[in-house]
Amino acid sequence: MRPTGKLHLGHYHGVLKNWVKLQHEFECFFFVADWHALTTNYDDPSGIQESVWDMVIDWLAAGVNPGSSTMFIQSKVPEHAELHLLLSMITPLGWLERVPTYKDQQEKLREKDLATYGFLGYPLLQSADILMYRAGRVPVGADQVSHVEITREVARRFNHIYGREPGFEEQAEGAIVKMGKKNAKLYRTLKKRYQEEGDLEALETARALLKEQQNISLGDRERLYGYIEGGGKVILPEPQPLLTPESKMPGLDGQKMSKSYNNYIGLREDPDSVAQKIRTMQTDPQRVRRTDPGEPEKCPVWGLHQVYSDADTQEWVQTGCRTAGIGCLECKKPLIDAIIEEQRPLQERAREYEGNPDLVHAIIEEGCEHARDAARDTLEEVRAAMGLSYR
């Protein structure tokens, strides 16, 4: 996530709740993309550092757990920059120019000079961010799937160019022997079924078999992934998008919640401020007087009820609004209570970290070290494949 400072409820419902769930299902890496912030804000980096720590505290407050995931800052793992450089040697210029957000962002941010190498190359830096950790899944919204797709293309091209190491087949056969007689026989059977009959189930079974092997190295495992598919060694596995459920959290005006629209409620916003924002929300323009009936679907407040209210409350809103049985302030009261109640545990957790910045820094330092260990392993193989391993 790019460091944009303190987060709002749109981030919480759209991203963070999903992260909290995923950290218990996968090995997760969550990082602050501070270099990516410079691709559009290179001329004013003054707020980046403060924004980084504000955002990390929000992650922790939301329940992202450093014991269950790896949290780090992109620029503190310089291996990202090296992999970006090495991938840039093989990435065609046209691939970057056709990324949908490239022209889209240039149109939206016309006041900025985005004719820079960094802006053109940011999708490749994203690819390096993903491929560095040999990610199987990347949680993204539908609008970001194209970035995962270019990452898959870059990985495919890299593996095609560099995966055919000298003596590949001999090394692959040697790796099969290391699996033991029973597993080696099963692997060969699955390989034959996939390559001769196109049996995709055999391919998946073989992948699962390789994943379980404790007595072969990571390099041998990737070599055998490539061997069964009839290619070379898979140095950089192709990731798959893991579609994030679309956020249903509207802003105070009914549009998407966004700082740029100034229609947001902060994740850690003061309860009095939350109450004031909800009370002053625009409602159905047809309800000029308390006795005028309204249409909930034409009122931004109804969108928040769909997120926060149970079926009984929603029914009460629908009936009360259409019959003028309730006023707009009455309608907003359960929303105020629900939002403040949701924020309470987040604010309590946040206070612990706000009062102990050294703890926050220590969490990130530990995450950076763990990320660097994983990054070094990947780069060691990438350098060797590209002929840059000097001993």
Side-chain angles (χ1 to χ4, degrees):
M1 194 183 288
R2 285 163 63 119
T4 54
K6 291 181 179 177
L7 303 180
H8 53 65
L9 292 179
H11 295 116
Y12 179 62
H13 286 275
V15 179
L16 292 179
K17 283 172 82 172
N18 191 47
W19 283 11
V20 170
K21 175 174 166 284
L22 291 175
Q23 70 184 348
H24 300 300
E25 299 173 7
F26 299 93
E27 181 186 4
C28 289
F29 288 79
F30 301 125
F31 72 93
V32 181
D34 54 342
W35 279 338
H36 283 292
L38 290 171
T39 58
T40 51
N41 294 329
Y42 61 84
D43 54 341
D44 182 20
S46 57
I48 289 179
Q49 196 168 126
E50 184 181 353
S51 292
V52 166
W53 298 118
D54 278 339
M55 195 169 78
V56 168
I57 288 174
D58 279 338
W59 290 2
L60 292 164
V64 179
N65 186 345
S68 304
S69 60
T70 300
M71 299 166 60
F72 66 98
I73 296 171
Q74 182 185 32
S75 64
K76 291 178 77 68
V77 185
E79 286 80 4
H80 284 237
E82 183 179 347
L83 186 57
H84 177 216
L85 170 72
L86 295 175
L87 295 177
S88 75
M89 302 301 178
I90 65 158
T91 303
L93 202 56
W95 288 12
L96 299 173
E97 290 172 331
R98 74 166 192 246
V99 172
T101 48
Y102 176 63
K103 287 191 171 67
D104 182 51
Q105 287 277 348
Q106 284 190 321
E107 283 295 312
K108 284 183 180 172
L109 302 172
R110 284 187 175 182
E111 73 283 1
K112 290 182 177 287
D113 178 10
L114 294 181
T116 61
Y117 170 74
F119 184 70
L120 175 66
Y122 89 86
L124 189 60
L125 178 57
Q126 278 190 329
S127 294
D129 298 333
I130 296 166
L131 296 173
M132 181 66 79
Y133 303 98
R134 307 187 195 203
R137 301 292 180 96
V138 189
V140 290
D143 58 336
Q144 289 284 309
V145 169
S146 60
H147 287 283
V148 182
E149 189 52 45
I150 190 175
T151 301
R152 289 168 55 78
E153 289 175 351
V154 169
R156 201 173 302 137
R157 182 171 168 85
F158 186 92
N159 293 330
H160 176 73
I161 295 172
Y162 300 111
R164 277 290 181 185
E165 60 195 328
F168 170 75
E169 290 193 8
E170 291 82 355
Q171 291 192 53
E173 288 292 333
I176 294 173
V177 173
K178 293 177 193 173
M179 293 167 62
K181 282 185 179 179
K182 184 180 174 184
N183 287 330
K185 184 178 179 182
L186 177 57
Y187 176 85
R188 292 185 198 282
T189 302
L190 294 168
K191 177 172 176 283
K192 185 176 181 181
R193 274 171 47 197
Y194 173 66
Q195 292 185 351
E196 294 183 7
E197 302 165 28
D199 187 338
L200 291 175
E201 194 176 324
L203 176 62
E204 288 305 312
T205 305
R207 284 176 174 160
L209 174 70
L210 291 172
K211 198 171 183 180
E212 293 168 2
Q213 298 306 301
Q214 301 295 319
N215 51 344
I216 60 173
S217 67
L218 181 63
D220 276 340
R221 185 177 291 116
E222 298 295 351
R223 199 169 279 118
L224 291 177
Y225 281 139
Y227 195 41
I228 197 169
E229 291 175 16
K233 178 182 176 185
V234 179
I235 301 165
L236 298 175
E238 295 179 34
Q240 297 288 344
L242 181 62
L243 279 176
T244 297
E246 189 178 350
S247 175
K248 300 290 193 294
M249 186 69 196
L252 297 169
D253 57 0
Q255 298 184 82
K256 179 182 176 182
M257 187 172 281
S258 169
K259 285 186 177 179
S260 57
Y261 297 151
N262 196 29
N263 66 353
Y264 65 94
I265 295 173
L267 198 71
R268 293 182 264 153
E269 193 154 333
D270 179 76
D272 290 341
S273 174
V274 172
Q276 178 64 14
K277 282 186 174 181
I278 300 292
R279 285 194 197 104
T280 55
M281 274 183 75
Q282 180 184 347
T283 54
D284 180 357
Q286 297 301 313
R287 293 203 72 181
V288 179
R289 292 176 295 274
R290 167 69 173 75
T291 53
D292 292 334
E295 286 282 341
E297 284 72 18
K298 294 179 180 175
C299 178
V301 178
W302 172 244
L304 292 177
H305 273 295
Q306 290 177 297
V307 175
Y308 282 99
S309 298
D310 59 24
D312 288 345
T313 305
Q314 289 186 23
E315 178 63 30
W316 172 76
V317 169
Q318 284 280 348
T319 304
C321 181
R322 294 178 192 281
T323 62
I326 59 171
C328 293
L329 284 176
E330 282 177 86
C331 172
K332 292 172 177 178
K333 177 70 169 63
L335 266 184
I336 294 170
D337 294 341
I339 292 172
I340 290 174
E341 186 58 34
E342 178 182 64
Q343 289 176 309
R344 184 173 289 114
L346 307 184
Q347 290 170 333
E348 286 172 4
R349 279 196 293 264
R351 275 194 288 273
E352 292 176 35
Y353 295 109
E354 287 168 340
N356 194 350
D358 288 346
L359 174 59
V360 180
H361 293 181
I363 287 168
I364 291 298
E365 282 300 324
E366 187 176 340
C368 289
E369 278 306 308
H370 185 234
R372 287 201 77 176
D373 287 343
R376 288 186 187 110
D377 288 344
T378 300
L379 267 179
E380 193 175 315
E381 286 213 43
V382 168
R383 291 189 197 114
M386 296 181 79
L388 300 173
S389 184
Y390 303 106
R391 306 207 172 189

